[in-house]
């Protein structure tokens, strides 16, 4: 009985390729940018112009590119319907 157990090789589990330090850094930076952008959008009541100015983004179109790149489209699309956007008086 022990002989049959000794001759069987343990099965290897497939392991994922370990992430490189650069990959870990990119993912951490992306997560931090996403968190910061979402927090600022909420703080500015989803005012894109104010958010772009506060974060030092050159234009609203660049800010929208960041919203897409950081996978915040769902939050952005849901904001008006959820009453998260506060409209100011028209001037």
């Amino acid at each position: 009985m022990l002989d049959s157990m000794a001759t069987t090789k343990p099965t290897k589990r497939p392991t994922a390729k370990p992430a490189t330090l650069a990959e870990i850094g990119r993912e951490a930076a992306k997560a931090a940018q996403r968190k910061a952008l979402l927090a600022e959008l909420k703080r500015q009541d989803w005012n894109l112009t104010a958010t772009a100015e506060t974060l030092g983004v050159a234009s609203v179109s660049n800010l929208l590119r960041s919203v897409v790149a950081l996978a915040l489209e769902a939050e952005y699309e849901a904001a008006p319907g959820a009453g998260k956007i506060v409209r100011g008086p028209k001037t």
Side-chain angles (χ1 to χ4, degrees), residues 13-71:
R13 294 183 184 169
T15 57
K17 180 181 173 186
T20 65
L21 192 57
E23 291 168 341
I24 294 168
R26 280 190 293 273
E27 289 300 315
K30 188 174 182 178
Q33 289 173 351
R34 185 181 196 285
K35 183 178 177 181
L37 178 54
L38 184 59
E40 190 59 28
L41 282 165
K42 288 178 179 179
R43 193 176 82 75
Q44 296 288 350
D45 294 322
W46 294 85
N47 181 321
L48 298 178
T49 303
T51 301
E53 289 173 358
T54 302
L55 295 177
V57 177
S59 67
V60 172
S61 62
N62 286 344
L63 183 71
L64 287 172
R65 284 188 195 98
S66 294
V67 166
V68 172
L70 298 172

Side-chain angles (χ1 to χ4, degrees), residues 66-77:
S66 294
V67 166
V68 172
L70 298 172
L72 289 169
E73 303 103 320
E75 290 88 342
Y76 176 73
E77 295 295 328

